[in-house]
Amino acid sequence: MGIRPACIAVALFAALAAGPASAADELQGVVVNVLSEGQVIVKHDPGCGMPAMTMLFQIEPKAEADRLQPGDRIFARANLSVNPGILDEVEFIGHQTAPLAQAVHDL
């Protein structure tokens, strides 16, 4: 029974020490809205241990957000250890022409 806390501590340390870029840190989704200061709302597919949902993200570098438009399908590296989450290495992979759902409330 004394080994169990040690195993948990080792597993936790290993998870925290893992490098930032892995398949679990990549998201794909559709830009719903482009806000000011490099922030965007993205309806993303399941990824990073989360189900599909619509979330606010900060694009890094901020200037990259200026080239995004609602309906753009993107692939990006995600850092969810901060709020809002950060997307970098953003790649444009297509455009969705169907209407997108808007946020239920102001963020």
Side-chain angles (χ1 to χ4, degrees):
M1 190 111 161
I3 290 187
R4 190 166 292 196
C7 290
I8 293 170
V10 169
L12 180 60
F13 177 76
L16 293 174
S22 70
D25 296 321
E26 296 172 342
L27 281 181
Q28 187 169 317
V30 177
V31 175
V32 174
N33 202 356
V34 179
L35 308 173
S36 62
E37 299 297 317
Q39 293 187 332
V40 296
I41 298 173
V42 176
K43 181 178 180 182
H44 67 77
D45 300 340
C48 294
M50 298 181 299
M53 65 178 79
T54 302
M55 294 177 60
L56 174 69
F57 289 98
Q58 178 70 46
I59 300 293
E60 293 293 337
K62 290 180 183 180
E64 288 292 308
D66 293 340
R67 66 183 181 93
L68 297 175
Q69 299 176 22
D72 284 352
R73 186 139 188 84
I74 61 170
F75 179 81
R77 187 173 65 165
N79 175 354
L80 303 176
S81 66
V82 294
N83 190 17
I86 295 173
L87 296 181
D88 65 4
E89 299 182 14
V90 178
E91 298 176 32
F92 174 82
I93 57 174
H95 191 79
Q96 178 175 321
T97 55
L100 298 168
Q102 295 297 314
V104 176
H105 57 81
D106 292 332
L107 299 174

